Structure formats: C-alpha cells, structure tokens
Amino acid sequence: RSWDQRHAVQLGIGRDSGRWDLSAALGYHSGWPTTGLTLEQSPAGETTSVIGLRNALELGSFASLDVRASRALTLRVGSLDVFIEVSNATNRQNPCCVDYSVTQEGPPYQLIRDPQHWLPIVPSVGVLWEF
C-alpha cells in the first residue's frame, strides 16, 4: 500500500505544572513506498516514459518532533485556553512524494527526479474560549 510504514514509533510526554501544560510528541516511520519512472528509447527512436513496479522503491524515513505549551485561565464567563505549538520543531525535510519532469533539450531527453517534502517547521498560536 502507498501508506505502508514497516517500522513506526510514536512517543509522547506531558507535564502539567499547575499554570502551564507542556507536551512533546516524537514520531518516526520508515519511508513510504513509491513507484519509479524511467525514460527509454524505442527502436524507432521515440522516447517514452516507463513506469516501474508499483511501490518497489522507498522514500526516506519520516521523523517529526512537535511541542506545545498551553495555559488555561478561568474567566467570569467560561475559561480561556491560550497555546503555542510548533510542528516539525527540528525543521526536518521529510520526503513525501516525487515530481518528475523531462528536459526540453533532446534527444536524448533527461528525466529529472525532484523529491518533495512535507511542511517545514510550522509555529502556531491559538486561543480557545469555552463558555
């Protein structure tokens, strides 16, 4: 399957210090399967793309550290929860997919493989008012 993760682990830790809630989550999994693509020239001299065996290749492994700090405040009407969180705090380039393109100069044409990555470090700030 395209979302297969042969090896995966999730670790989490949290601490409630009274005023602040602090938490961190670390996730890792082996690379997702992917299908390769090559260019081949036919006997007639035409260049065609050839799709490899489905999911025969594997992207690099995925790892992410997410951290969060939040504080709950009691109000006259309800409560207010303020937080700051950072996803992918280490700014790791986690491979997700591959884009292919073919050079315009040719023949012979060249296949350019361009690995894409999930989001970089993403900070977030939020407020939740419950009443």
Side-chain angles (χ1 to χ4, degrees):
R1 298 182 202 160
S2 296
W3 59 87
D4 181 39
Q5 300 169 10
R6 282 183 292 122
H7 306 98
V9 65
Q10 298 284 328
L11 301 171
I13 188 168
R15 171 144 169 81
D16 181 358
S17 67
R19 297 182 126 184
W20 289 93
D21 287 334
L22 306 172
S23 60
L26 176 65
Y28 167 86
H29 65 75
S30 55
W32 286 304
T34 188
T35 302
L37 185 67
T38 58
L39 292 180
E40 290 185 7
Q41 195 164 10
S42 71
E46 295 179 347
T47 302
T48 59
S49 58
V50 177
I51 299 172
L53 292 175
R54 179 167 158 60
N55 292 338
L57 303 176
E58 186 176 278
L59 296 173
S61 62
F62 177 98
S64 182
L65 173 65
D66 304 333
V67 294
R68 177 182 170 108
S70 64
R71 180 163 181 194
L73 306 166
T74 304
L75 304 175
R76 285 183 34 207
V77 178
S79 64
L80 193 67
D81 187 30
V82 294
F83 66 88
I84 183 168
E85 58 189 21
V86 179
S87 298
N88 192 17
T90 61
N91 202 27
R92 187 173 192 276
Q93 287 191 329
N94 289 304
C96 70
C97 38
V98 179
D99 282 342
Y100 290 96
S101 60
V102 178
T103 58
Q104 297 298 316
E105 304 83 30
Y109 296 99
Q110 299 285 324
L111 183 67
I112 300 168
R113 184 178 190 270
D114 184 18
Q116 301 295 304
H117 301 93
W118 284 110
L119 292 173
I121 187 170
V122 179
S124 303
V125 176
V127 177
L128 174 63
W129 179 27
E130 295 179 320
F131 55 94

